[in-house]
């Protein structure tokens, strides 16, 4: 359902990290983080990062 990188981004977002912080940890750009999270939102059929994290937790993905 979600790529490993999307799950990484959502997992770090669930820990309260913002895009620039996630980017540093994953060694990618913050824009790429935002793209991974946006794609996760589409796949999870939610509107924002917070809802994506909640849905991923609910589904047991993170």
């Amino acid at each position: 359902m979600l790529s490993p990188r999307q799950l990484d981004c959502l997992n770090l977002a669930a820990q309260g990290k913002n895009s620039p912080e996630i980017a540093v940890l994953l060694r990618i750009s913050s824009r790429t983080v935002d793209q991974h999270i946006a794609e996760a939102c589409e796949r999870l059929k939610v509107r924002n990062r917070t809802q994506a994290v909640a849905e991923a937790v609910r589904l047991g993905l993170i």
Side-chain angles (χ1 to χ4, degrees), residues 1-11 32 35-37 39-40 43-44 61-62:
M1 175 179 249
L2 297 180
S3 74
R5 206 50 143 179
Q6 290 166 350
L7 291 170
D8 290 341
C9 291
L10 287 178
N11 190 35
T32 301
Q35 289 172 335
H36 285 312
I37 292 176
E39 180 66 28
R43 291 183 182 187
L44 293 171
L61 300 174
I62 60 171

